[in-house]
């Protein structure tokens, strides 16, 4: 059954990336104490097995250092203090490798699950933690039962491994009583290290179960209601009415810039009433003619008005106007398939500029390739 929020709505939706990011900023990341404890114990056991002999010999030397006093040192008041600091320095040097190993494991083990997270949010005092009712709820919650189950499982696993090791090493324990003091101590320490390593490795089973549970539990806590997802989308993407207004303003600004380019056009190809496309071509700067403005209905009417006001010639060619409108973008080049048709129109316009009134060139009837016929039929006037 899905959890409910304070409003009684079920948390059925997976957390969004924004919700996960905010949770991490607050220090809410998945954590497994079992994983950290297991890694620390395994590292400690491995470190003791590798460094145990070195540490043991070093500690014996440190202990003997305090008893090797010359006659002069016995009567020297400063000698005990000097020897104390010397023994401390030697002891630290002996245990330093093991201490560094444990420090590194302690620092980097949390990165395996949830990564590092530094947040002051979790340090803030929360009065709700002092609420006895909520405290009782936490005690008898599912999480508390899971923690109890893990504790019992750890006791069971450690107990079984310990009993199994005792049974397996029973002969070694009997042998200790017949060995010399030094040999017996070394043998006993070796058995202790082996038992410690086996017990640590046994906890891997608990950690292997706890890690997936912690990931699932963390994701479950971050689940959202459908309303929360909608609200977040509105906050992130903007409310629909605001977005519509923004798009309208963008269209108005783009249209204003487009209209400013109409007076610089060479020709406006019209439908004649429903479509208008303004073209410009500069042989020195452009590879092909470009569309500087286009529109339908009222926008097309405004383009024609600006063209007449600024002396830009209008050329009525309904199929070509519709094809240009549907296959081009503002400030974009015309398609290669329309080069010939547009070239005929521009050539006619250029000839008109220098021709006398009684010697006008013949008006061309530009034809469209077959692949543009479909565009030419769109929005065809009736």
């Amino acid at each position: 059954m899905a959890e409910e929020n304070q409003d009684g709505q079920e948390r059925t939706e997976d957390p969004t990336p924004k919700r996960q990011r905010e949770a991490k900023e607050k220090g809410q990341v998945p954590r497994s104490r079992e994983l950290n404890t297991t890694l620390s114990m395994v590292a400690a056991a491995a470190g003791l097995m590798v460094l145990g002999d070195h540490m043991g010999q070093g500690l014996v030397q440190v202990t003997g250092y305090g008893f090797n006093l010359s006659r002069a040192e016995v009567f020297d008041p400063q000698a005990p203090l000097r020897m104390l600091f010397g023994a401390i320095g030697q002891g630290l040097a002996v245990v330093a490798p093991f201490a560094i190993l444990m420090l590194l494991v302690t620092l980097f083990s949390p990165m395996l699950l949830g990564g590092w997270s530094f947040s002051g949010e979790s340090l803030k005092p929360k009065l709700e933690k002092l609420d006895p009712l909520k405290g009782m709820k936490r005690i008898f919650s599912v999480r508390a039962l899971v923690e109890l189950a893990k504790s019992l499982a750890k006791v069971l696993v450690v107990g079984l491994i310990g009993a199994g090791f005792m049974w397996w090493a029973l002969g070694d324990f009997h042998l200790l009583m017949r060995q010399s003091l030094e040999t017996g101590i070394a043998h006993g320490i070796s058995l202790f290290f082996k038992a410690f390593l086996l017990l640590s490795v046994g906890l891997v089973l608990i950690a292997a179960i706890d890690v997936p549970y912690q990931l699932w539990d963390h994701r479950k806590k971050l689940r959202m209601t459908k309303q929360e997802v909608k609200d977040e989308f509105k906050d992130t993407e903007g409310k629909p009415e605001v977005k519509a207004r923004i798009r309208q303003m963008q269209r108005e600004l783009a249209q204003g810039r487009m209209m400013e380019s109409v007076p610089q056009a060479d020709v406006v190809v019209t439908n004649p009433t429903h479509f208008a496309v303004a073209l410009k071509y500069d042989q020195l700067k452009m590879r092909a003619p470009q569309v500087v403005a286009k529109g339908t209905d009222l926008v097309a009417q405004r383009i024609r008005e600006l063209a007449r006001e600024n002396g830009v010639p209008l050329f009525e060619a309904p199929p070509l106007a519709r094809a240009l409108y549907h296959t081009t973008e503002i400030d974009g080049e015309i398609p290669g398939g329309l080069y010939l048709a547009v070239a005929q129109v521009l050539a006619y316009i250029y000839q008109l500029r220098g021709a006398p009134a009684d010697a006008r060139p013949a008006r061309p009837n530009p034809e469209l390739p077959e692949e543009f016929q479909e565009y030419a039929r769109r929005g065809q006037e009736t």
Side-chain angles (χ1 to χ4, degrees):
M1 182 177 177
E3 292 185 353
E4 297 181 351
N5 67 353
Q6 296 178 352
D7 298 330
Q9 297 180 348
E10 292 186 350
R11 299 182 182 273
T12 58
E13 306 303 311
D14 289 334
T16 61
K18 181 175 181 291
R19 179 69 170 263
Q20 294 177 353
R21 184 172 61 253
E22 291 176 348
K24 188 171 184 179
E25 292 174 354
K26 295 178 181 179
Q28 299 175 4
V29 294
R31 288 286 185 243
S32 174
R33 289 180 295 179
E34 310 305 328
L35 177 63
N36 298 340
T37 302
T38 299
L39 290 176
S40 298
M41 292 190 65
V42 171
L48 288 174
M49 292 191 68
V50 175
L51 303 173
D53 291 341
H54 170 73
M55 293 173 60
Q57 294 175 6
L59 293 176
V60 169
Q61 292 177 0
V62 171
T63 304
Y65 174 74
F67 292 97
N68 294 327
L69 300 175
S70 64
R71 180 179 177 82
E73 290 175 333
V74 171
F75 294 98
D76 183 2
Q78 302 297 326
L81 187 62
R82 186 170 59 251
M83 297 185 69
L84 174 63
F85 286 119
I88 293 175
Q90 291 183 15
L92 291 176
V94 170
V95 301
F98 181 77
I100 293 174
L101 171 64
M102 296 308 300
L103 177 62
L104 293 176
V105 172
T106 303
L107 289 177
F108 289 98
S109 58
M111 292 183 61
L112 298 178
L113 187 65
W116 277 344
S117 177
F118 300 95
S119 174
E121 188 72 19
S122 57
L123 300 178
K124 294 180 180 180
K126 297 181 179 179
L127 297 179
E128 62 181 16
K129 292 184 177 181
L130 302 178
D131 189 343
L133 294 178
K134 291 186 178 181
M136 293 296 294
K137 185 177 180 180
R138 286 194 297 268
I139 292 175
F140 295 100
S141 64
V142 175
R143 186 175 184 82
L145 292 176
V146 172
E147 294 297 328
L148 176 61
K150 287 193 299 183
S151 299
L152 294 176
K154 282 191 290 186
V155 172
L156 180 61
V157 170
V158 171
L160 290 175
I161 293 177
F165 180 79
M166 292 288 291
W167 178 263
W168 175 78
L170 187 59
D172 291 301
F173 286 118
H174 287 301
L175 183 62
L176 290 175
M177 296 183 290
R178 298 193 296 270
Q179 292 177 332
S180 63
L181 180 60
E182 293 183 357
T183 303
I185 291 175
H187 192 187
I189 292 175
S190 176
L191 290 175
F192 169 75
F193 288 165
K194 290 180 181 178
F196 187 54
L197 180 60
L198 285 175
L199 293 175
S200 302
V201 172
L203 295 179
V204 172
L205 177 62
I206 306 298
I209 298 175
D210 185 58
V211 168
Y213 169 77
Q214 295 298 337
L215 291 172
W216 172 83
D217 185 62
H218 176 71
R219 194 170 185 86
K220 181 181 177 182
K221 290 179 180 178
L222 297 182
R223 281 180 183 171
M224 308 168 66
T225 65
K226 294 182 182 297
Q227 186 61 42
E228 287 174 338
V229 174
K230 293 179 181 178
D231 293 342
E232 182 181 299
F233 179 79
K234 289 181 180 179
D235 293 339
T236 304
E237 303 295 333
K239 296 182 178 180
E241 56 271 19
V242 176
K243 293 176 65 178
R245 177 57 181 165
I246 292 175
R247 286 195 295 268
Q248 181 183 354
M249 293 176 64
Q250 291 174 339
R251 286 194 298 268
E252 293 175 352
L253 291 174
Q255 191 177 97
R257 291 193 297 269
M258 180 181 70
M259 294 302 180
E260 292 177 356
S261 302
V262 173
Q264 284 77 44
D266 293 318
V267 63
V268 174
V269 182
T270 66
N271 191 44
T273 57
H274 291 307
F275 290 84
V277 180
L279 300 175
K280 181 176 179 60
Y281 180 54
D282 187 335
Q283 296 182 4
L284 300 178
K285 299 180 180 179
M286 301 178 184
R287 297 183 306 172
Q290 292 183 353
V291 176
V292 296
K294 69 175 185 175
T296 61
D297 299 328
L298 294 178
V299 176
Q301 179 181 346
R302 181 56 182 161
I303 292 175
R304 292 194 300 272
E305 291 174 355
L306 287 173
R308 293 190 184 96
E309 294 173 0
N310 293 274
V312 177
L314 301 177
F315 185 89
E316 183 178 330
L320 179 59
R322 290 192 292 267
L324 285 170
Y325 179 83
H326 290 298
T327 60
T328 59
E329 298 292 338
I330 303 298
D331 295 329
E333 296 180 353
I334 65 172
L338 297 179
Y339 281 180
L340 179 58
V342 172
Q344 292 175 348
V345 173
L346 289 175
Y348 172 71
I349 297 300
Y350 295 153
Q351 292 174 6
L352 282 178
R353 292 176 180 174
D358 56 350
R360 288 178 175 270
R363 188 182 186 282
N365 185 22
E367 297 183 359
L368 304 182
E370 184 63 30
E371 64 267 22
F372 290 91
Q373 294 296 330
E374 177 184 354
Y375 299 109
R377 289 188 292 269
R378 292 184 185 179
Q380 191 171 3
E381 295 178 356
T382 57

